[in-house]
Amino acid sequence: MARSLLSHFPILSNSTSPLASSLSCAIAPSKCFPRHLFGRPKASSFQCLCTLSVSEPAVPETSSSVRKRIVSGVQPTGSIHLGNYLGAIKNWIELQNSYDTLFFIVDLHAITLPYETQQLAKSTRDTAAIYLACGVDTSKASVFVQSHVRAHVELMWLLSSATPIGWLNKMIQFKEKSRKAGDENVSVSLLTYPVLMASDILLYQSDFVPVGEDQKQHLELTRELAERVNYLYGGRKWKKLGGRGGAIFKVPEPLIPPAGARVMSLTDGLSKMSKSSPSDQSRINLLDSKDVIANKIKRCKTDSSTGLEFDNPDRPECNNLLSIYQLVSGKTKEEVAKECQDMSWGSFKPLITDALIDHLHPIQVRYEEVMSDSAYLDGVLAEGAARATDIADATLNNVYQAMGFLRR
């Protein structure tokens, strides 16, 4: 999801401008949902983390401090491509060193649109194996399958009772997808999908969520919903029911990587690289062979201008390919700009092809190793689900108590 949880739960409208160069604020709360709705007091201020580097903790830590928590995930639909990797998974590798991290495969989100039942389980295992192949370290991060922690669905139902339908009707992606598919082909789950996403995040009392530009509206709904539930059921109301009182949920902040959050299509530099595109030529899949990668780069869309340059709005394909080269080569933007400024496409395409092949080859080798050891992969997912369940059940029990349910 594969589309990302807010990257991604990256599941989700295309923007025409690269995230790192265009965003001045991750989310503007006042533009999504008025904070005076339902007589709520004004919510806490919103902290912008747009320029936060993923290589540095959002909050300075000491050896004695409790690590801040991050959750993220990718859908197991289709093949995980370069956009999923550079926009989400690659950043996880650095985040796991500074945060308490939970990375899961959001298989429940994968059924909001038509899907192949015969492929869902296989795709879920494939996605988990790619997480590990890309460098997710199970000694630092928990890896699990969303549907293996039942609290996700239970909390979604509880949150649904507190979610105004008007909030969901404002979701841009629902409008876009329902308009394309038609009412008869759109399920209720596509409308309520953001509530499940909120459940995914709030269950784990997440401090931060890595978020792509196309997910900022969904994260703001999560924040608003957390504040609404805290107001309706938390504080003294919860304490009177025997609870600890105070806030039921943490209100998560966005964490936006400084680069790579928007990898664009190889056939259209103004559209996001996506698994939903009917043309496989539009994307580099992480498991593509050397020959396939070379062929896709050879045929990718370019322009007729002389020299190569970043950030020219009239040359979106040029900016996208240079950005990809920068990220997979490990060079700085300045180094790439200097190296490629006088290059022709004929010289640059072999360069980026070799960089992609060299970068993806170790991932492909490690993926085959993980997939060849089913017991190891099953053990990783079981251990991750067990840890996630402990955290999720504690949150869920608090919500049941605060909402007045008979305790189990």
Side-chain angles (χ1 to χ4, degrees), residues 66-273:
V66 176
R67 285 192 170 195
K68 299 290 185 179
R69 181 171 293 152
I70 284 178
V71 299
S72 192
V74 172
Q75 282 196 33
T77 51
S79 300
I80 291 184
H81 55 67
L82 200 64
N84 303 132
Y85 170 64
L86 295 178
I89 300 173
K90 186 173 183 289
N91 294 320
W92 296 353
I93 311 311
E94 295 183 55
L95 293 174
Q96 68 185 352
N97 295 321
S98 302
Y99 298 90
D100 177 17
T101 48
L102 296 98
F103 302 130
F104 49 108
I105 299 92
V106 290
D107 55 341
L108 294 172
H109 288 285
I111 67 173
T112 58
L113 295 172
Y115 69 101
E116 294 292 333
T117 57
Q118 301 293 328
Q119 291 296 316
L120 182 59
K122 180 182 182 303
S123 296
T124 300
R125 293 180 63 83
D126 288 348
T127 303
I130 285 179
Y131 283 10
L132 301 178
C134 288
V136 173
D137 184 344
T138 55
S139 70
K140 301 176 181 178
S142 296
V143 177
F144 62 98
V145 179
Q146 180 189 29
S147 64
H148 292 182
V149 181
R150 296 186 178 182
H152 286 262
V153 177
E154 287 190 60
L155 181 59
M156 178 198 176
W157 182 251
L158 298 177
L159 293 178
S160 295
S161 71
T163 306
I165 190 67
W167 288 13
L168 300 181
N169 286 334
K170 293 179 181 179
M171 294 293 101
I172 295 172
Q173 292 199 31
F174 173 74
K175 292 180 180 179
E176 291 179 346
K177 292 181 179 179
S178 60
R179 183 168 56 248
K180 292 178 181 178
D183 289 344
E184 293 301 317
N185 297 314
V186 173
S187 66
V188 172
S189 64
L190 188 61
L191 176 65
T192 58
Y193 161 94
V195 184
L196 178 57
M197 183 183 294
S199 173
D200 297 334
I201 297 168
L202 299 179
L203 261 180
Y204 300 103
Q205 303 294 346
S206 310
D207 295 284
F208 301 108
V209 180
V211 58
E213 184 179 11
D214 56 352
Q215 287 294 304
K216 60 183 181 179
Q217 189 184 35
H218 285 180
L219 181 58
E220 180 55 22
L221 184 142
T222 297
R223 290 169 48 80
E224 290 283 340
L225 191 50
E227 290 167 345
R228 178 163 165 74
V229 171
N230 287 342
Y231 174 70
L232 292 175
Y233 303 108
R236 293 181 180 179
K237 299 173 186 176
W238 182 17
K239 198 164 187 178
K240 288 180 179 179
L241 293 172
R244 71 164 189 269
I248 300 170
F249 296 123
K250 282 187 179 180
V251 180
E253 300 285 354
L255 190 157
I256 299 180
R262 295 286 286 180
V263 177
M264 312 310 279
S265 168
L266 297 182
T267 56
D268 179 3
L270 297 178
S271 297
K272 185 180 177 183
M273 188 175 286

Side-chain angles (χ1 to χ4, degrees), residues 14 47 50 143 197 269 291 295 314 329 365 398 401 403:
N14 291 335
Q47 179 184 2
C50 301
V143 177
M197 183 183 294
D291 290 343
N295 186 53
D314 295 325
S329 68
V365 171
N398 285 340
Q401 182 185 45
M403 291 182 70

